[in-house]
Amino acid sequence: MSDKLIIFDTTLRDGEQSPGASMTKEEKLRIARQLERLRVDVIEAGFAASSNGDFEAVKAIADTIKDSTVCSLARANDRDIARAAEALRGAQRARIHTFIATSPLHMEKKLRMTPDQVYEQARLAVRFARNLCPDVEFSPEDGYRSEIDFLCRVLEAVIDEGATTINIPDTVGYAVPELYGNFIRTLREKIPNSDKAVWSVHCHNDLGMAVANSLAGVKIGGARQVECTINGLGERAGNCALEEVVMAVKTRRDYFGLEVGIDTTQIVPASRLVSQTTGFVVQPNKAVVGANAFAHASGIHQDGVLKARDTYEIMRAEDVGWSTNKIVLGKLSGRNAFKQRLQELGIVMESESELNAAFAKFKELADRKAEIFDEDIIALVGDESVTPEKERYALVSLSQHSETGERPHARVVFTIDGKEHVGEADGNGPVDASIKAIESHVQSGAELLLYSVNAITSGSTESQGEVTIRLQHGGRVVNGVGADPDIVVASAKAYLSALTKLHSQVERVAAQG
Ligand code: KIV
Ligand code: ZN
């Protein structure tokens, strides 16, 4: 059996299914470039048949990425599969990932299909996909809760039809490590042609065991592909976290005996990019990528680490990319230096005018903040005023007055489809007054689900504040992110960005719908 563990990243597909995490094509491309730098083996770029937007994003990623295989999800029907193949046409290496549910509950209640119908549809789907692409993955959705004999029958048939990877999803996060590992091993032992495919694990984190289950699938079950997302992003409690699984296999090579091709120094930059793009903040005590993951607060620990770092450290912070947080630019940096840093960060400006707008924003920021970090640049290019033509709602200016004992008042000037509007309101605090000022005019009817502020770079009150606002309206949930050294301005930007997303027409078919 191979000793290489394939890392399959699904941040842009399963991760993006998380309510509020939806990304634009440009954002997805930026993340795909970072995943390529991270050297993931497979990037699941989206679900091409779910919407025109997803199709375009998968196509753009397939046309751009050279070093990783680019994959699209497709339900087990000819239309979805043909659409995936079309989106992937420009890829150096492409994979079609087709799936259908196989658990009694999903077949009866969701699909309203008999097991024989599901068996036939799975077989035909893989046959059709193999005619379009040599690399085909098949997933029995809710596989872990499926009856083992039926699952064996389906999987044997799809391997016969040419499926090259068999992925066993724990779709609802119900598995426990030992049982999941044994489940994969039993399948591989019972299915006569199991050695013709690579076995893969795909675990959700509802009981907090996604990483442990995935590792058990590898160690006990013999799987050689792990499906995972940056920061464990994903619906509900998320997916298996890439950074944890990779560092576990690397750090405990003595136990797992496997190789991964990941450039671990790109882990923290990838984590930051995903969190800044989606507004899903990483908890400080999160393994590997949390702000405290390498911080030793207790005197005993600090003393030990200073004497010999392996007294309390099993990984080196710089090996996962913590040292990349360097001052890159300042007030005197020119347009070329700025452009070069954007290129190094994998950020491509679509036009000269977009580059000029971003550079003007950079100069404005450098006047107010002496040290500009990579995170500041990533936040800056995500700013709606850099790409005003793409944003329905954009901030022009904000003034507010607050004083101890007084009710704060805010006046916000903003554009809707390029036309200027002014809103004014009082509020409990300056942030509340600013949001009410926008709402006095927009009257969106949206419900605020989340408001959070984070310092983009740690250790200084000079840092930009990054605000995430989650809104819900008409069954949709969106996240808006805004950054500025002034957190009231950052809040207004985040609110306007959320309104833009709320009012953009996204018609998408849910993968598991
Ligand atoms: O969790 C799941 O079952 C999935 C499949 C579509 C692979 O994401
Ligand atoms: Zn999933």
Side-chain angles (χ1 to χ4, degrees):
M1 204 194 297
S2 160
D3 62 359
K4 157 103 200 245
L5 185 63
I6 298 167
I7 301 298
F8 175 114
D9 180 278
T10 182
T11 305
L12 299 174
R13 198 280 297 172
D14 220 355
E16 205 219 10
Q17 271 174 231
S18 182
S22 66
M23 297 170 233
T24 64
K25 182 174 95 179
E26 289 72 24
E27 289 169 337
K28 286 187 174 186
L29 247 179
R30 199 173 299 151
I31 290 176
R33 286 199 190 93
Q34 179 58 27
L35 293 173
E36 187 179 37
R37 269 198 291 276
L38 185 60
R39 297 190 167 283
V40 306
D41 299 286
V42 186
I43 298 174
E44 188 162 53
F47 173 17
S50 69
S51 69
N52 287 339
D54 243 41
F55 178 89
E56 291 304 331
V58 175
K59 182 170 165 11
I61 293 168
D63 292 347
T64 307
I65 296 299
K66 303 285 171 255
D67 298 335
S68 310
T69 296
V70 180
C71 171
S72 172
L73 187 70
R75 286 166 298 189
N77 65 60
D78 290 3
R79 186 197 161 266
D80 269 31
I81 293 168
R83 196 85 177 126
E86 198 186 331
L88 294 169
R89 196 176 299 143
Q92 301 258 320
R93 283 191 299 275
R95 174 179 294 187
I96 295 176
H97 176 191
T98 186
F99 75 100
I100 189 165
T102 51
S103 67
L105 191 63
H106 278 228
M107 289 190 291
E108 190 193 325
K109 302 280 187 237
K110 189 181 82 168
L111 298 177
R112 297 181 198 283
M113 286 169 74
T114 65
D116 282 346
Q117 287 171 326
V118 168
Y119 169 87
E120 204 47 28
Q121 193 162 323
R123 221 166 54 77
L124 293 178
V126 170
R127 181 182 296 177
F128 185 66
R130 261 312 294 259
N131 282 331
L132 299 172
C133 182
D135 186 346
V136 173
E137 173 168 331
F138 175 77
S139 287
E141 191 195 351
D142 206 18
Y144 181 65
R145 293 194 302 170
S146 302
E147 280 169 3
I148 192 132
D149 288 339
F150 174 63
L151 194 54
C152 286
R153 204 176 133 226
V154 173
L155 297 181
E156 184 181 345
V158 297
I159 296 172
D160 265 347
E161 294 293 349
T164 43
T165 300
I166 297 294
N167 177 48
I168 307 298
D170 176 24
T171 305
V172 292
Y174 181 69
V176 292
E178 192 186 351
L179 299 183
Y180 183 72
N182 285 335
F183 190 67
I184 308 272
R185 188 170 62 191
T186 308
L187 288 172
R188 288 184 49 239
E189 283 169 0
K190 283 184 116 179
I191 297 174
N193 54 3
S194 66
D195 60 326
K196 303 274 183 304
V198 173
W199 287 73
S200 166
V201 289
H202 178 112
C203 297
H204 283 264
N205 202 32
D206 298 67
L207 293 173
M209 290 189 278
V211 172
N213 288 336
S214 302
L215 291 171
V218 170
K219 181 71 183 173
I220 305 173
R224 287 295 176 265
Q225 174 177 286
V226 174
E227 302 202 350
C228 43
T229 60
I230 303 291
N231 301 335
L233 187 70
E235 262 179 301
R236 309 185 307 276
N239 287 55
C240 169
L242 178 146
E243 60 280 2
E244 295 181 22
V245 114
V246 165
M247 290 317 290
V249 170
K250 280 218 153 217
T251 309
R252 296 306 310 269
R253 200 176 175 285
D254 59 319
Y255 177 72
F256 290 104
L258 292 170
E259 298 297 336
V260 283
I262 296 294
D263 175 356
T264 58
T265 62
Q266 294 296 328
I267 285 180
V268 168
S271 163
R272 290 202 169 140
L273 181 60
V274 169
S275 125
Q276 283 188 266
T277 307
T278 59
F280 277 67
V281 175
V282 175
Q283 77 196 54
N285 57 332
K286 164 87 176 59
V288 185
V289 293
N292 291 353
F294 292 88
H296 298 273
S298 105
I300 298 172
H301 286 205
Q302 282 174 353
D303 182 53
V305 169
L306 287 176
K307 285 178 179 144
R309 61 191 296 174
D310 55 0
T311 48
Y312 288 101
E313 273 187 12
I314 56 162
M315 298 172 270
R316 292 168 359 139
E318 55 271 36
D319 288 350
V320 296
W322 276 105
S323 55
T324 56
N325 178 18
K326 51 183 185 284
I327 303 164
V328 288
L329 298 170
K331 201 174 168 160
L332 300 176
S333 307
R335 192 173 177 279
N336 278 345
F338 177 69
K339 192 175 170 185
Q340 189 183 334
R341 194 59 203 151
L342 286 179
Q343 273 162 7
E344 285 161 7
L345 288 169
I347 298 168
V348 178
M349 289 281 141
E350 280 186 9
S351 60
E352 277 299 296
S353 71
E354 218 170 279
L355 176 65
N356 291 341
F359 184 61
K361 280 270 145 195
F362 161 74
K363 280 292 187 190
E364 218 175 87
L365 183 62
D367 272 341
R368 297 156 73 196
K369 189 173 184 291
E371 300 168 329
I372 307 283
F373 296 85
D374 286 347
E375 292 79 354
D376 292 313
I377 296 178
I378 294 168
L380 187 143
V381 296
D383 192 311
E384 86 288 341
S385 53
V386 169
T387 52
E389 66 282 4
K390 291 187 193 145
E391 301 289 331
R392 273 201 78 186
Y393 297 82
L395 183 70
V396 177
S397 65
L398 184 153
S399 62
Q400 55 87 12
H401 178 80
S402 61
E403 203 177 315
T404 319
E406 297 283 317
R407 199 163 157 73
H409 180 83
R411 179 176 190 274
V412 183
V413 184
F414 56 101
T415 54
I416 306 178
D417 294 328
K419 190 167 175 290
E420 236 173 71
H421 300 270
V422 183
E424 290 200 45
D426 291 345
N428 286 345
V431 171
D432 187 43
S434 305
I435 303 304
K436 285 189 170 133
I438 296 170
E439 272 299 326
S440 70
H441 195 83
V442 175
Q443 296 179 349
S444 70
E447 184 189 350
L448 184 79
L449 298 184
L450 174 123
Y451 172 85
S452 85
V453 193
N454 233 11
I456 286 192
T457 45
S458 49
S460 152
T461 50
E462 279 191 356
S463 169
Q464 290 199 81
E466 183 176 61
V467 173
T468 302
I469 283 182
R470 188 170 303 157
L471 296 181
Q472 174 172 279
H473 186 56
R476 287 187 64 201
V477 178
V478 294
N479 276 349
V481 183
D484 198 272
D486 179 333
I487 59 164
V488 183
V489 174
S491 304
K493 285 182 178 175
Y495 198 81
L496 292 166
S497 144
L499 287 178
T500 294
K501 289 191 179 168
L502 204 55
H503 294 146
S504 65
Q505 289 309 313
V506 182
E507 274 164 32
R508 174 182 277 182
V509 180
Q512 281 107 332

Short mmCIF file of all heavy atoms in Angstrom, two decimals, residues 10 13-14 17 169-171 202-204 227 235 239 512, ligand 2:
data_model
loop_
_atom_site.label_atom_id
_atom_site.label_comp_id
_atom_site.label_asym_id
_atom_site.label_seq_id
_atom_site.Cartn_x
_atom_site.Cartn_y
_atom_site.Cartn_z
N THR A 10 -11.50 20.68 0.41
CA THR A 10 -12.85 21.03 -0.07
C THR A 10 -13.37 22.32 0.57
O THR A 10 -14.57 22.55 0.68
CB THR A 10 -13.82 19.82 0.09
OG1 THR A 10 -15.10 20.18 -0.43
CG2 THR A 10 -13.95 19.34 1.52
N ARG A 13 -15.80 24.06 -1.65
CA ARG A 13 -17.06 23.38 -1.95
C ARG A 13 -17.81 23.08 -0.64
O ARG A 13 -18.74 23.77 -0.29
CB ARG A 13 -16.78 22.11 -2.78
CG ARG A 13 -18.01 21.57 -3.49
CD ARG A 13 -18.94 20.75 -2.62
NE ARG A 13 -18.33 19.55 -2.09
CZ ARG A 13 -18.92 18.78 -1.18
NH1 ARG A 13 -20.10 19.08 -0.69
NH2 ARG A 13 -18.30 17.72 -0.71
N ASP A 14 -17.34 22.11 0.14
CA ASP A 14 -18.06 21.78 1.37
C ASP A 14 -17.92 22.93 2.37
O ASP A 14 -18.87 23.26 3.09
CB ASP A 14 -17.52 20.48 1.97
CG ASP A 14 -18.64 19.60 2.53
OD1 ASP A 14 -19.79 20.05 2.53
OD2 ASP A 14 -18.36 18.48 2.97
N GLN A 17 -20.29 25.68 1.76
CA GLN A 17 -21.70 25.39 2.06
C GLN A 17 -22.12 25.90 3.43
O GLN A 17 -23.29 25.91 3.77
CB GLN A 17 -21.94 23.87 2.01
CG GLN A 17 -22.31 23.38 0.63
CD GLN A 17 -22.39 21.86 0.54
OE1 GLN A 17 -21.80 21.26 -0.34
NE2 GLN A 17 -23.11 21.23 1.45
N PRO A 169 -18.18 9.15 3.16
CA PRO A 169 -18.54 10.29 4.01
C PRO A 169 -19.25 9.89 5.30
O PRO A 169 -20.13 9.03 5.27
CB PRO A 169 -19.49 11.12 3.13
CG PRO A 169 -19.42 10.54 1.77
CD PRO A 169 -19.01 9.11 1.94
N ASP A 170 -18.83 10.54 6.37
CA ASP A 170 -19.64 10.53 7.59
C ASP A 170 -20.38 11.87 7.54
O ASP A 170 -20.01 12.83 8.21
CB ASP A 170 -18.73 10.41 8.82
CG ASP A 170 -19.53 10.50 10.11
OD1 ASP A 170 -20.75 10.19 10.08
OD2 ASP A 170 -18.96 10.89 11.14
N THR A 171 -21.42 11.89 6.74
CA THR A 171 -22.09 13.14 6.36
C THR A 171 -22.63 13.92 7.56
O THR A 171 -22.64 15.15 7.55
CB THR A 171 -23.24 12.80 5.38
OG1 THR A 171 -22.67 12.07 4.29
CG2 THR A 171 -23.96 14.03 4.88
N HIS A 202 -14.02 11.26 4.66
CA HIS A 202 -14.66 12.58 4.59
C HIS A 202 -15.53 12.70 5.84
O HIS A 202 -16.61 12.10 5.92
CB HIS A 202 -15.49 12.65 3.30
CG HIS A 202 -16.24 13.94 3.14
ND1 HIS A 202 -15.93 14.86 2.16
CD2 HIS A 202 -17.31 14.47 3.81
CE1 HIS A 202 -16.76 15.88 2.22
NE2 HIS A 202 -17.61 15.67 3.23
N CYS A 203 -15.05 13.42 6.84
CA CYS A 203 -15.74 13.41 8.13
C CYS A 203 -16.21 14.81 8.53
O CYS A 203 -15.47 15.79 8.42
CB CYS A 203 -14.81 12.86 9.21
SG CYS A 203 -14.36 11.16 8.88
N HIS A 204 -17.43 14.86 9.05
CA HIS A 204 -17.97 16.11 9.59
C HIS A 204 -17.80 16.11 11.12
O HIS A 204 -17.65 15.07 11.74
CB HIS A 204 -19.42 16.29 9.14
CG HIS A 204 -19.49 16.75 7.71
ND1 HIS A 204 -19.62 18.07 7.38
CD2 HIS A 204 -19.39 16.08 6.54
CE1 HIS A 204 -19.61 18.20 6.05
NE2 HIS A 204 -19.48 17.00 5.51
N GLU A 227 -10.22 14.07 3.08
CA GLU A 227 -10.91 15.27 2.62
C GLU A 227 -11.06 16.23 3.80
O GLU A 227 -11.51 15.83 4.88
CB GLU A 227 -12.27 14.89 2.01
CG GLU A 227 -12.07 13.90 0.88
CD GLU A 227 -13.20 13.82 -0.13
OE1 GLU A 227 -14.27 14.41 0.11
OE2 GLU A 227 -13.00 13.18 -1.17
N GLU A 235 -20.34 23.35 6.95
CA GLU A 235 -21.69 23.43 7.52
C GLU A 235 -21.71 22.95 8.97
O GLU A 235 -20.94 22.06 9.33
CB GLU A 235 -22.61 22.50 6.72
CG GLU A 235 -23.42 23.21 5.68
CD GLU A 235 -24.29 22.23 4.92
OE1 GLU A 235 -23.73 21.30 4.33
OE2 GLU A 235 -25.50 22.42 4.92
N ASN A 239 -15.98 20.68 8.87
CA ASN A 239 -15.34 19.46 8.33
C ASN A 239 -14.05 19.18 9.09
O ASN A 239 -13.63 19.98 9.94
CB ASN A 239 -14.99 19.68 6.85
CG ASN A 239 -16.21 19.68 5.95
OD1 ASN A 239 -17.15 20.43 6.15
ND2 ASN A 239 -16.21 18.83 4.96
N GLN A 512 -26.57 18.67 -1.06
CA GLN A 512 -27.25 17.55 -0.42
C GLN A 512 -28.76 17.74 -0.34
O GLN A 512 -29.42 17.13 0.45
CB GLN A 512 -26.68 17.32 0.98
CG GLN A 512 -25.36 16.58 0.94
CD GLN A 512 -24.20 17.49 1.25
OE1 GLN A 512 -24.26 18.70 1.01
NE2 GLN A 512 -23.13 16.95 1.78
ZN ZN B 2 -19.41 16.82 3.42
#
